[in-house]
Amino acid sequence: MKNFKRITALASLLALTLAVSACGKQGSTDETAEAENTGDQKAVVYRTLDEIKESGTINIGVFSDKNPFGYVDENGEYQGYDVYFANRIGEDMGVEVNFVSTEAANRIEYLQTGKVDIILANFTVTEERAEEVDFALPYMNVALGVISPDSNVVQSLDNWSADDEMIVISGTTAEKYLIETYPDIPLQKYDSYATAKNALENGNGVAWANDNTEVIAFALQNKGYTVGIPSLGSQDTIAPAVSKGNETLLNWINDEIKALGEEQFFHANYEATLVDTYGLEFQESLVVEGGQVQ
Amino acid sequence: MLDLGLEVLSKGNNMLRLLGGLWVALKISLLSVGISIALGILLGALMTWKNPVTKAILRVYLEFIRIMPQLVLLFLVYFGTTKAFGWDLTGEMAAIIVFVLWGTAEMSDLVRGALISIPRHQYESSEALGLTREQIYFYIIIPQALRRLIPLSINLITRMIKTTSLILMIGVVEILKVAQQIIEANRMSSPNAAFGIYLTVFILYFIACWPISMIAKHLERKWR
């Protein structure tokens, strides 16, 4: 009898927990559905351009630990390519910029809840993300790059010899791209940046494919290596993002990017923030001016 | 000598920034610990009641908090409340709410455990002496339970201080985030700075948690 009582107690507890969690789930899906359906009528999470101007402060989400795009210097000041642009936005809009430190994993949530007005955290434009947030015109290119020792620079992936192996880091876009586009190239996969770096230095593979910003920085820091292919595969772009539906702000940013193109603003930005890491020769392949991808 | 890249600490305000980050972490955790202990003792005492309704409610609350990873709770409170109710909580506020919810749940279970671990004959002997219910708790049970509670709650308190490393996910710049910022900002000039900075963070956490252990040890000895 005692056992029976215990079992029923346990079962009812379980049922209750399930019910609670089910309610929670249902509630949230209903709400998101509702928010999408009614759009503008329901509580709008974002602030329009006029509301931002009125408040005198714009909240911009940037990385605080991605040198040289968004980082904090030794005096506690935000610096970098993204931050340089953010400061110009604040200046031209006539408002103060309040920087919010974001992580790769929470950038979309920040926009969906209106806790920031713009994300300028090296945000690569993808189709999945474009369903959650609105992207403005791009201001930077990102692609893959291939680095190899000076003694045997790999400049093309065509006519690949089956004896040569390519170094990649597992789970990166480089790995995915090579498997899909060049299935004949044998890959040597490593789990981390450090092990892949060792493999290249020890000559385990003939070349290393990774994000082009990474390999370019590597070649500049380590003598004896050349980026034979600075831009490979699908050209992705990096763009500012705003909350879904925030048209006034989106239009303002697009106009701003176009206007800045006339004064070559992003070239100046590159020279101020990225030149130490990447050198001048990659300026044209990385910078997007006036929102026009070449 | 191993290059730990410690020179980056003397650059600009870096050391001050790390200490500021430690202060943010300690402020949030100690405030939450204080509230959690008070609420936890109250709920823990309620848990020992025979009333099935309060028992069931408290049980569900405890299990819910215990099962949920703290990171999920942080996201739920920081972003979820904005989506659902339109509340605009600051990161610090959301962190304190989550830490209080978590600390109270775990603390109440510790209190419950300490209370029921007092042998029955303690209650019965007190009743035989003619003490009232309040007197039994105040003079006999609580002093004994408190002593059993100390080592358990120290575990919880230090765990709460260390878990503040998660709040960087909701935009609160605490010691670990400052450390990452310093390491990344000097990635080119001092590639080894990660070792030195994390070592410094370790020492700072230790300095913050060690006095708590010492106080606990002292109390345990005093109340023996």
Side-chain angles (χ1 to χ4, degrees):
Chain A
M1 193 59 204
K2 216 174 173 184
N3 265 337
F4 175 72
K5 252 188 189 164
R6 267 194 204 150
I7 290 166
T8 40
L10 213 70
S12 54
L13 180 71
L14 196 71
L16 202 66
T17 338
L18 281 176
V20 169
S21 56
C23 281
K25 244 183 220 156
Q26 193 149 31
S28 61
T29 41
D30 280 358
E31 257 150 30
T32 41
E34 234 167 51
E36 271 163 21
N37 288 341
T38 45
D40 295 338
Q41 295 155 25
K42 233 203 143 183
V44 179
V45 292
Y46 55 79
R47 301 193 297 164
T48 62
L49 181 61
D50 289 340
E51 283 166 343
I52 295 167
K53 279 183 177 167
E54 211 169 292
S55 79
T57 311
I58 186 164
N59 300 315
I60 300 186
V62 293
F63 282 136
S64 65
D65 58 358
K66 294 284 178 293
N67 188 0
F69 300 105
Y71 65 99
V72 179
D73 69 7
E74 63 268 23
N75 299 314
E77 301 285 330
Y78 279 86
Q79 301 289 352
Y81 187 76
D82 294 340
V83 173
Y84 192 94
F85 180 33
N87 280 326
R88 179 62 187 257
I89 288 177
E91 196 180 300
D92 288 349
M93 203 182 273
V95 293
E96 292 281 313
V97 178
N98 172 38
F99 287 108
V100 179
S101 161
T102 58
E103 307 295 321
N106 64 16
R107 287 175 295 189
I108 291 179
E109 276 81 4
Y110 264 104
L111 285 177
Q112 284 178 333
T113 51
K115 285 182 187 285
V116 299
D117 300 305
I118 309 175
I119 285 283
L120 274 176
N122 226 248
F123 214 10
T124 308
V125 181
T126 66
E127 274 176 35
E128 292 91 4
R129 285 173 182 163
E131 286 170 14
E132 314 273 349
V133 302
D134 280 345
F135 284 106
L137 293 172
Y139 61 96
M140 205 182 119
N141 276 319
V142 56
L144 303 175
V146 177
I147 185 170
S148 39
D150 284 346
S151 51
N152 182 18
V153 178
V154 174
Q155 281 176 319
S156 161
L157 294 184
D158 302 321
N159 308 318
W160 189 270
S161 148
D163 298 335
D164 293 338
E165 291 190 339
M166 174 78 92
I167 298 165
V168 292
I169 302 174
S170 303
T172 55
T173 40
E175 183 198 13
K176 190 167 163 246
Y177 173 79
L178 287 174
I179 290 173
E180 281 168 7
T181 325
Y182 294 94
D184 297 334
I185 297 182
L187 299 180
Q188 238 177 56
K189 300 180 186 179
Y190 293 91
D191 282 332
S192 69
Y193 183 86
T195 47
K197 174 174 179 274
N198 280 337
L200 182 71
E201 285 167 352
N202 295 339
N204 296 0
V206 292
W208 178 15
N210 201 356
D211 283 0
N212 63 355
T213 48
E214 292 285 346
V215 292
I216 291 167
F218 184 93
L220 287 166
Q221 284 165 56
N222 299 276
K223 289 231 174 314
Y225 297 93
T226 306
V227 179
I229 310 175
S231 138
L232 171 75
S234 65
Q235 278 283 343
D236 283 325
T237 54
I238 285 176
V242 301
S243 303
K244 196 97 194 144
N246 194 353
E247 270 176 37
T248 51
L249 184 59
L250 188 69
N251 292 338
W252 188 90
I253 296 172
N254 283 339
D255 292 344
E256 172 81 358
I257 288 175
K258 281 180 203 155
L260 290 176
E262 281 161 29
E263 56 170 280
Q264 299 284 296
F265 170 80
F266 288 103
H267 283 79
N269 186 350
Y270 183 100
E271 280 152 30
T273 57
L274 297 187
V275 85
D276 289 343
T277 316
Y278 301 120
L280 270 176
E281 60 180 308
F282 296 101
Q283 190 171 32
E284 290 312 317
S285 56
L286 289 178
V287 166
V288 175
E289 199 70 76
Q292 302 279 324
V293 182
Q294 300 297 316
Chain B
M1 176 67 196
L2 193 63
D3 177 20
L4 290 175
L6 283 171
E7 73 280 358
V8 298
L9 280 176
S10 54
K11 263 194 190 170
N13 299 324
N14 280 352
M15 192 64 211
L16 266 180
R17 288 173 58 216
L18 263 186
L19 289 173
L22 182 68
W23 169 238
V24 171
L26 283 182
K27 194 175 61 183
I28 289 174
S29 50
L30 293 182
L31 197 63
S32 314
V33 163
I35 303 173
S36 300
I37 288 179
L39 289 177
I41 290 175
L42 204 74
L43 285 192
L46 282 183
M47 274 180 169
T48 60
W49 278 19
K50 297 279 180 287
N51 185 335
V53 179
T54 52
K55 231 177 175 169
I57 293 173
L58 291 174
R59 196 78 214 155
V60 169
Y61 163 61
L62 175 64
E63 292 299 335
F64 181 76
I65 299 287
R66 198 186 263 165
I67 290 166
M68 278 284 193
Q70 274 84 41
L71 188 59
V72 176
L73 284 175
L74 284 171
F75 266 63
L76 271 181
V77 171
Y78 186 58
F79 295 115
T81 55
T82 312
K83 263 187 202 173
F85 314 114
W87 301 348
D88 193 15
L89 298 173
T90 62
E92 275 99 348
M93 196 63 212
I96 290 172
I97 291 174
V98 167
F99 277 64
V100 165
L101 280 175
W102 168 42
T104 304
E106 295 223 359
M107 191 68 201
S108 66
D109 205 37
L110 297 180
V111 170
R112 184 188 66 88
L115 282 177
I116 60 172
S117 74
I118 308 291
R120 266 220 82 68
H121 66 76
Q122 294 278 338
Y123 291 86
E124 285 162 0
S125 324
S126 320
E127 271 170 30
L129 286 172
L131 298 180
T132 64
R133 207 178 148 145
E134 288 75 32
Q135 283 173 325
I136 295 175
Y137 270 95
F138 200 74
Y139 292 112
I140 312 293
I141 307 303
I142 290 180
Q144 296 188 62
L146 219 51
R147 212 161 42 200
R148 291 175 192 197
L149 206 54
I150 291 170
L152 304 172
S153 41
I154 295 310
N155 269 340
L156 178 63
I157 293 169
T158 47
R159 210 143 43 91
M160 282 172 83
I161 294 176
K162 287 177 290 184
T163 310
T164 51
S165 55
L166 286 181
I167 61 179
L168 62 89
M169 289 303 297
I170 56 170
V172 181
V173 179
E174 45 65 75
I175 179 164
L176 207 63
K177 189 76 220 177
V178 176
Q180 289 170 359
Q181 289 175 353
I182 294 175
I183 291 165
E184 267 300 309
N186 298 287
R187 195 165 65 134
M188 307 292 168
S189 53
S190 330
N192 286 325
F195 300 110
I197 299 286
Y198 278 125
L199 187 70
T200 313
V201 169
F202 162 77
I203 293 169
L204 288 176
Y205 268 123
F206 184 82
I207 293 172
C209 291
W210 179 243
I212 297 172
S213 300
M214 293 310 283
I215 294 169
K217 219 176 199 173
H218 173 75
L219 285 180
E220 257 183 280
R221 210 173 296 145
K222 200 176 146 196
W223 289 350
R224 197 191 298 272

